[in-house]
């Protein structure tokens, strides 16, 4: 029953905790949907630290079979917490989450590989950003050409110092490729 915009409060809480515990530098890292949250936070809160994006994917592309019209009607009738089953084959989510996160043209719709539309908010970012993508990630390259994704990300983050690492043989969770991922992260953070 997630509301995407609530991620601002969650990330604020973690950053405040880090600062209260004497950490001088904070790097935001997101995986999958977490990438959208981290980038949204950075644009909304003027975050200037480093950002790591693991498997940033187009959230809307795989969900064309869902009934958004029905979900909007349920939401208007106060049934936002009603469960929608069969989301991404086995997941169950609420109407609120479907409309807040997995819907087109909402704040969570950051990476639009499907139509090459650049989120205008990304141009305000000037951060140092590392992006890690696996060559067999079904959530990313399962739907789009890896070169198209790389080009799109470079255009999206055109004012940032951007590094994109392609990890051969890595899936959405980097299983079996953890060592290479960790080495890339360590180099970036240093």
């Amino acid at each position: 029953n997630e509301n995407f915009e609530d991620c601002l409060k969650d990330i604020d809480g973690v950053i405040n905790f880090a600062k209260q515990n004497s950490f001088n530098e904070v790097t935001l890292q997101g995986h999958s949907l977490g990438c959208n949250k981290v980038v949204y936070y950075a644009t909304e809160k003027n975050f200037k630290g480093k950002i790591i994006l693991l498997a940033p994917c187009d959230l809307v592309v795989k969900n064309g079979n869902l009934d958004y019209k029905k979900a909007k009607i349920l939401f208007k009738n106060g049934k936002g917490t009603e469960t929608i089953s069969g989301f991404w084959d086995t997941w169950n989510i609420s109407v609120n989450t479907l409309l807040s996160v997995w819907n087109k043209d909402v704040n969570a719709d950051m990476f639009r590989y499907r139509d090459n539309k650049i989120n205008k908010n990304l141009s305000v970012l000037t951060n140092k950003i590392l992006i890690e993508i696996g060559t067999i990630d079904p959530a990313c390259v399962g739907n789009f050409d890896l070169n198209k994704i790389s080009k799109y990300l470079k255009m999206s983050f055109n004012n940032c110092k951007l590094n994109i690492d392609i990890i051969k043989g890595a899936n959405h969770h980097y299983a079996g490729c953890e060592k290479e991922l960790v080495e890339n992260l360590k180099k970036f953070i240093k």
Side-chain angles (χ1 to χ4, degrees), residues 63-152:
N63 306 314
N65 60 335
L66 292 172
D67 192 343
Y68 289 95
K69 287 181 185 178
K70 180 181 175 185
K72 288 176 185 178
I73 291 167
L74 288 168
F75 181 80
K76 284 182 183 178
N77 290 327
K79 297 182 179 181
T81 59
E82 187 165 310
T83 299
I84 297 174
S85 60
F87 178 74
W88 265 14
D89 301 324
T90 59
W91 295 3
N92 294 324
I93 63 168
S94 72
V95 168
N96 290 337
T97 302
L98 176 64
L99 297 178
S100 169
V101 178
W102 305 97
N103 200 1
K104 62 182 178 179
D105 298 322
V106 295
N107 289 326
D109 193 15
M110 281 292 158
F111 306 108
R112 296 187 58 157
Y113 308 142
R114 66 188 179 274
D115 60 11
N116 220 31
K117 183 176 178 185
I118 305 289
N119 185 319
K120 65 183 182 332
N121 295 333
L122 301 183
S123 66
V124 303
L125 296 176
T126 57
N127 308 64
K128 187 174 180 184
I129 298 177
L130 172 66
I131 298 176
E132 299 284 326
I133 301 174
T135 59
I136 60 169
D137 180 350
C140 293
V141 297
N143 297 303
F144 303 101
D145 176 70
L146 192 52
N147 291 326
K148 179 181 178 178
I149 292 171
S150 294
K151 184 178 177 184
Y152 174 86

Side-chain angles (χ1 to χ4, degrees), residues 134-169:
T135 59
I136 60 169
D137 180 350
C140 293
V141 297
N143 297 303
F144 303 101
D145 176 70
L146 192 52
N147 291 326
K148 179 181 178 178
I149 292 171
S150 294
K151 184 178 177 184
Y152 174 86
L153 292 168
K154 288 173 186 173
M155 289 185 327
S156 295
F157 295 111
N158 63 329
N159 291 320
C160 297
K161 184 174 180 190
L162 181 66
N163 293 327
I164 299 175
D165 289 331
I166 307 302
I167 300 181
K168 186 170 176 62

Side-chain angles (χ1 to χ4, degrees), residues 43-56:
T43 61
E44 291 295 305
K45 298 286 190 159
N46 199 28
F47 178 78
K48 296 298 182 191
K50 294 176 184 175
I51 297 173
I52 299 171
L53 305 176
L54 306 176

